[in-house]
């Protein structure tokens, strides 16, 4: 049961999905109601429930037995079951059915509502569909939609040439938007010099009796405090600069995402859904032929644009900076994936 509590606390699988998975690994099979009662039972975290009696309210007391899980884990599971846990991707249901990897990521092209997915039982087998619950009645074969999406994932393939261009683009952006550590060091040193100069002026004013002792001590305390903070910051910035290698970090990151199409094609359902959610932070629209989206992960968007030769307009002031506009989910706008 400890495993079941840990899985539910993650908020990835529904409680009944955890039960079904646990039943496949154990000779003792739990019904849905028995499992629900068990994961609500505070006995697992060492507590005993005392029912209301006369004027005494119902309450929990510490039991004599050794708890199987921590009270923190038990409470976390209760929050998940009560629907109080904020999911990572709002309005997206996580389903482990391998035939419906896009369930929860799609919106209806006709009415804009979320599409769900389900199976229809035929004479010899089951047929899976993505469909809308509204009166618009939109319905699409899941196998067909999945094939188009998987084929479209090849547009995120990162070959050697694209990898080098993308790395250069990201390095240029890093230099543009992340402050140069050497410039920051210079600014801190200048600020320390300014505070020391102010302290020296205050000392001269004290000697010339322009200000009194109390005013001088206030200025000294203020300046010394700021100088100590700046010197601490200067020391920290120096060590951070030595330890951080942006070039090496980028190489490592790009290596991880180099085989996205293969990872998606060969991955299990959880892997597929993790890739979809990482690349597309907003919902996808599929009209039966074409996929569109309002926004894409910034790195994935760069790869997609470079692979397709889209919007590579050079900035006149800096030929190394490209303008990479994002695709939008509207009619008439260039499609993302299509049949």
């Amino acid at each position: 049961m400890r495993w079941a509590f840990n899985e539910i606390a993650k908020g990835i699988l529904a409680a009944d999905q955890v039960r079904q998975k646990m039943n496949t690994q154990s000779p003792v099979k739990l019904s849905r109601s028995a499992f629900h009662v068990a994961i609500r039972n505070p006995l697992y975290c060492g507590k005993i429930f005392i029912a209301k009696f006369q004027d005494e309210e119902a309450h929990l007391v510490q039991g004599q037995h050794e708890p199987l899980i921590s009270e923190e884990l038990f409470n976390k599971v209760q929050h998940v079951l009560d629907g109080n846990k904020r999911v990572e991707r709002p309005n997206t249901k996580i389903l482990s059915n391998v035939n419906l990897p896009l369930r929860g990521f799609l919106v209806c092209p006709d009415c804009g509502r979320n599409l769900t997915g389900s199976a229809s039982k035929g004479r010899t087998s089951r047929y899976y569909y993505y469909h809308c619950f509204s009166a618009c009645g939109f319905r699409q074969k899941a196998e067909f939609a999945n094939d188009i999406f998987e084929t479209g994932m090849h547009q995120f393939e990162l070959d050697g040439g694209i990898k080098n261009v993308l790395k250069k683009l990201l390095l240029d952006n890093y230099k543009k938007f992340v402050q140069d550590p050497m410039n920051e060091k210079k600014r801190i040193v200048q600020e320390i010099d300014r505070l020391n100069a102010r302290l020296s002026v205050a000392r001269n004013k004290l000697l010339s009796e322009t200000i009194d002792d109390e005013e001088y001590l206030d200025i000294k305390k203020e300046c010394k405090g700021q100088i100590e903070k700046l010197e601490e910051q200067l020391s920290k910035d120096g060590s951070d600069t030595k330890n951080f290698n942006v070039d090496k970090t980028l190489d490592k990151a790009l290596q991880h995402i180099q085989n996205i199409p293969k990872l998606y094609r060969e991955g299990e359902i959880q892997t597929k859904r993790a890739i979809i959610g990482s690349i597309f932070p907003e919902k996808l629209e599929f009209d039966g032929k074409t996929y569109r989206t309002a926004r894409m992960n910034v790195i994935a968007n760069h790869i997609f644009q470079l692979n397709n030769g889209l919007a590579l307009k050079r900035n006149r002031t800096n030929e190394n900076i490209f303008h990479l506009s994002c695709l939008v989910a509207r009619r008439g706008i260039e499609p993302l994936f299509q049949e």
Side-chain angles (χ1 to χ4, degrees), residues 81-94:
L81 297 175
D82 294 337
N84 295 328
K85 179 179 172 63
R86 180 181 176 85
V87 295
E88 293 181 4
R89 185 183 180 90
N91 302 320
T92 297
K93 295 181 180 179
I94 306 298

Side-chain angles (χ1 to χ4, degrees), residues 83-321:
N84 295 328
K85 179 179 172 63
R86 180 181 176 85
V87 295
E88 293 181 4
R89 185 183 180 90
N91 302 320
T92 297
K93 295 181 180 179
I94 306 298
L95 189 69
S96 59
N97 194 312
V98 295
N99 299 286
L100 300 167
L102 290 161
R103 183 184 181 189
F105 293 101
L106 300 177
V107 293
C108 178
D110 295 334
C111 68
R113 293 189 179 186
N114 291 337
L115 294 184
T116 187
S118 61
S120 177
K121 194 172 182 180
R123 291 183 179 180
T124 57
S125 60
R126 296 168 70 86
Y127 300 93
Y128 291 85
Y129 294 88
Y130 296 113
H131 58 89
C132 188
F133 275 128
S134 71
C136 77
F138 178 82
R139 184 182 179 89
Q140 186 56 240
K141 286 184 178 180
E143 184 179 3
F144 177 69
N146 294 341
D147 286 345
I148 293 178
F149 186 85
E150 185 172 320
T151 301
M153 289 297 292
H154 288 288
Q155 295 176 73
F156 295 104
E157 195 165 359
L158 195 61
D159 62 29
I162 296 297
K163 181 179 177 181
N164 292 335
V165 173
L166 181 59
K167 181 181 176 181
K168 188 176 190 317
L169 177 66
L170 294 173
L171 280 173
D172 287 341
N173 283 333
Y174 175 82
K175 291 174 183 177
K176 180 179 179 181
F177 295 109
V178 179
Q179 193 168 25
D180 188 340
M182 295 306 296
N183 289 339
E184 180 66 7
K185 271 189 173 184
K186 186 177 179 180
R187 185 197 66 80
I188 293 173
V189 170
Q190 289 175 344
E191 182 65 14
I192 292 174
D193 289 343
R194 187 190 68 81
L195 290 168
N196 280 322
R198 182 187 175 196
L199 188 56
S200 178
V201 170
R203 191 180 299 110
N204 290 334
K205 287 184 177 181
L206 175 65
L207 294 174
S208 63
E209 298 183 351
T210 306
I211 59 175
D212 57 24
D213 291 347
E214 186 176 352
E215 190 175 355
Y216 169 73
L217 290 174
D218 286 342
I219 295 173
K220 181 180 179 181
K221 183 179 179 181
E222 180 186 349
C223 289
K224 287 290 186 183
Q226 292 183 36
I227 289 171
E228 287 176 4
K229 288 181 180 179
L230 288 169
E231 287 177 342
E232 183 181 353
Q233 186 179 345
L234 187 62
S235 175
K236 181 190 292 186
D237 286 345
S239 60
D240 288 348
T241 303
K242 287 182 180 179
N243 294 332
F244 182 68
N245 187 325
V246 64
D247 194 87
K248 186 177 179 180
T249 303
L250 271 178
D251 279 335
K252 188 175 180 180
L254 292 174
Q255 185 64 37
H256 283 314
I257 65 173
Q258 192 161 3
N259 295 316
I260 287 178
K262 183 179 179 182
L263 285 173
Y264 184 84
R265 183 177 66 253
E266 299 177 357
E268 297 181 355
I269 182 64
Q270 290 85 354
T271 302
K272 290 180 185 290
R273 292 184 63 83
I275 290 173
I276 298 170
S278 297
I279 294 178
F280 304 105
E282 296 190 18
K283 297 295 181 74
L284 291 157
E285 178 189 291
F286 181 63
D287 61 8
K289 292 184 178 180
T290 301
Y291 280 96
R292 294 181 174 86
T293 185
R295 187 164 62 92
M296 203 186 300
N297 171 286
V298 62
I299 295 181
N301 184 44
H302 286 0
I303 297 171
F304 178 83
Q305 299 279 15
L306 289 168
N307 280 336
N308 290 277
L310 302 174
L312 299 181
K313 297 179 181 179
R314 295 193 171 191
N315 189 313
R316 291 182 179 178
T317 59
N318 188 342
E319 64 177 10
N320 296 319
I321 301 296

